[in-house]
Structure formats: C-alpha cells, structure tokens
Amino acid sequence: MVTAASGSLALPEGELPDWATVQSEPICIGVWQGRPLMAAALRLETVIQEPFVAETFNFASDTLDDVTLTLGGMAKQILHWEWHSCHCSRCGGTLEQIPASWGKSCAACRSEHFPHIHPCIIVLVRRGDEFLLVRKPEWALGRYSLIAGFLDFGESLEECVQREVREETGLEVANIRYVGSQSWPFPSQMMAGFVAEYASGELQVDGEELEDAQWFCRQLLPESLPGRRSIARWIIDKYALGDA
Ligand SMILES: [Zn+2]
C-alpha cells in the first residue's frame, strides 16, 4: 500500500498503522535515502484505511513515480522469496538466512538456496516497416504485445529468442540484437529485451497459447498496447514506432 497523505502517492513512513495486520514481521530490504526500507505483506483480510491506498505495484499503473514503482516491485520479489523459502527443497529441513545475503542454508543437510530469478526473453520482430505483435487469449480485449518466453536449460538468450518465435508463430528470425532489460516482479522474472529481423516462414499460431499474431505498422496499430512502463512498450515505442 502507499499513502496519499502528501497529495501524491508515496511509500508510507514510520510505524505500521494499528489496523494493518501482516503475514510476518516486517523485514529490512535495504537503505533508501539514509533510512531503512522495510517490507511486509499485509494479510488479505486487511481493510486499508485513509490516507493509505491499496497499490499492486504493477506496471500498468500510471499513478506511481518510477522510484516508488521500482522499490515496490523489489519488495514484492523479496517477500515472494521469503514466503517460498521456509523449507529446503532437497530434504524439507528448515532454512536459515545466510548472513549478509538473501541466500539460505538448510539446518539439516547444509545445502544452500538462493533467490529464484527467472530469465525470460521478449522480442520485437521487424520486417521492413512492419513489426510482429501477438495476442494471448487472457489479455484485455484488443491488446497486442511482443513475443516473450522463459529461458530453457542449455539455451543462450539468443537461442531462446529463436525458439520462442518459432514455437509461437512458425517464423525464423535473424540479426538478433539485445536492447535492454527490466526486472519483472510477477513474481520474479528478469526480462531481457531483443530486436530481431524476420528471415523466413509463414505466420502460424496454435490458437491456445496465442490467440493471434499479426504484422502491424505505424499507420495500422492494435487497439491497445502494453503499459507505458513495461519493457514491451519501451521496445515498441523505440524500435517499432520510433527511429531506432
Ligand atoms: Zn536440506
């Protein structure tokens, strides 16, 4: 949650309000502007009271400044890790924090565990003035975005780009170029952004994972694009609609 006390939305300062019941004790996730930054997950049944406001810290939101959104996303990832790292995945023993680290060590078998951050690729495929956007059935009506997917065992990020484009659309790509990345805390991904050129093939979608894939151009855009602060939108704005 954030506070609207100062007129704009900001991270709350000071003690937790009396009505805020948390799932576990707040933890310190770092120091921000000389002060400790604490994170806690509110219980679902908590009724948030004014001047505090519920905030999901997702990238569709245009109401938060970049720093607040980033800190909120980082807190979400850390709380997710803490929530999912109570027990050893090897023997079921209790995990203990490794000092000065987010890692944990098993009290029973001594195996060590570190935060699970999942690498993903996201790619804009271009063909002359056209670019490829896809649509998943669960997305908001009219929304199109870029091809994306999780890295698999043994793959380079560039091989992942080739495989995801091939699997999702039947196309082959060339000239794969890394353009930037974004931490994606839903719950814990690292999105690596690429631009690639169409090489060969005819568009084919399976109708399950993807509902549709189409070539668009500046003059013909879908009804809706990804949120402004997602890497997907940044790549589209810069490499499809811009001059990069
Ligand atoms: Zn263990």
Side-chain angles (χ1 to χ4, degrees):
M1 68 182 179
V2 291
T3 174
S6 64
S8 58
L9 297 178
L11 294 178
E13 293 183 44
E15 299 293 317
L16 272 175
D18 292 343
W19 47 259
T21 50
V22 292
Q23 295 182 7
S24 57
E25 280 300 300
I27 53 171
C28 182
I29 62 169
V31 175
W32 175 246
Q33 295 182 332
R35 287 180 291 178
L37 192 61
M38 309 296 289
L42 292 176
R43 288 190 183 278
L44 274 181
E45 62 270 21
T46 304
V47 179
I48 293 176
Q49 298 179 18
E50 288 186 349
F52 299 95
V53 183
E55 172 56 53
T56 55
F57 295 103
N58 71 33
F59 287 76
S61 162
D62 275 336
T63 54
L64 297 178
D65 62 69
D66 285 354
V67 167
T68 307
L69 189 64
T70 300
L71 292 174
M74 186 178 82
K76 277 177 74 153
Q77 283 196 48
I78 292 173
L79 291 171
H80 178 81
W81 164 244
E82 289 298 311
W83 189 249
H84 288 87
S85 61
C86 300
H87 296 99
C88 176
S89 54
R90 183 163 177 263
C91 78
T94 302
L95 293 184
E96 297 167 346
Q97 195 93 36
I98 299 172
S101 156
W102 291 115
K104 299 195 177 181
S105 153
C106 175
C109 76
R110 306 318 305 173
S111 59
E112 293 188 339
H113 304 262
F114 291 92
H116 304 160
I117 298 168
H118 306 290
C120 298
I121 62 87
I122 184 159
V123 58
L124 173 76
V125 180
R126 301 192 292 195
R127 183 176 71 177
D129 291 338
E130 298 176 305
F131 47 90
L132 182 65
L133 298 179
V134 299
R135 175 174 164 72
K136 290 190 175 186
E138 62 268 27
W139 289 351
L141 207 63
R143 163 77 53 95
Y144 280 76
S145 185
L146 301 180
I147 292 171
F150 286 93
L151 187 72
D152 209 345
F153 290 121
E155 275 183 333
S156 68
L157 290 168
E158 290 80 359
E159 287 166 338
C160 182
V161 166
Q162 284 179 314
R163 176 183 55 76
E164 286 290 342
V165 173
R166 187 183 301 131
E167 282 179 3
E168 295 198 1
T169 64
L171 302 183
E172 296 296 329
V173 292
N175 300 332
I176 299 165
R177 184 160 59 97
Y178 170 77
V179 292
S181 66
Q182 183 176 35
S183 170
W184 194 249
F186 312 107
S188 199
Q189 281 89 268
M190 161 46 64
M191 305 296 291
F194 290 84
V195 174
E197 302 301 326
Y198 164 84
S200 64
E202 291 293 323
L203 265 186
Q204 281 178 333
V205 295
D206 62 9
E208 289 177 14
E209 186 178 351
L210 285 189
E211 189 178 84
D212 192 25
Q214 286 187 44
W215 293 104
F216 290 90
C217 62
R218 288 185 204 196
Q219 295 74 28
L220 174 67
L221 291 173
E223 227 172 277
S224 160
L225 289 170
R228 291 208 170 271
R229 283 185 294 178
S230 62
I231 189 170
R233 182 60 174 274
W234 179 79
I235 293 174
I236 292 169
D237 284 350
K238 186 166 180 180
Y239 295 94
L241 306 178
D243 295 323

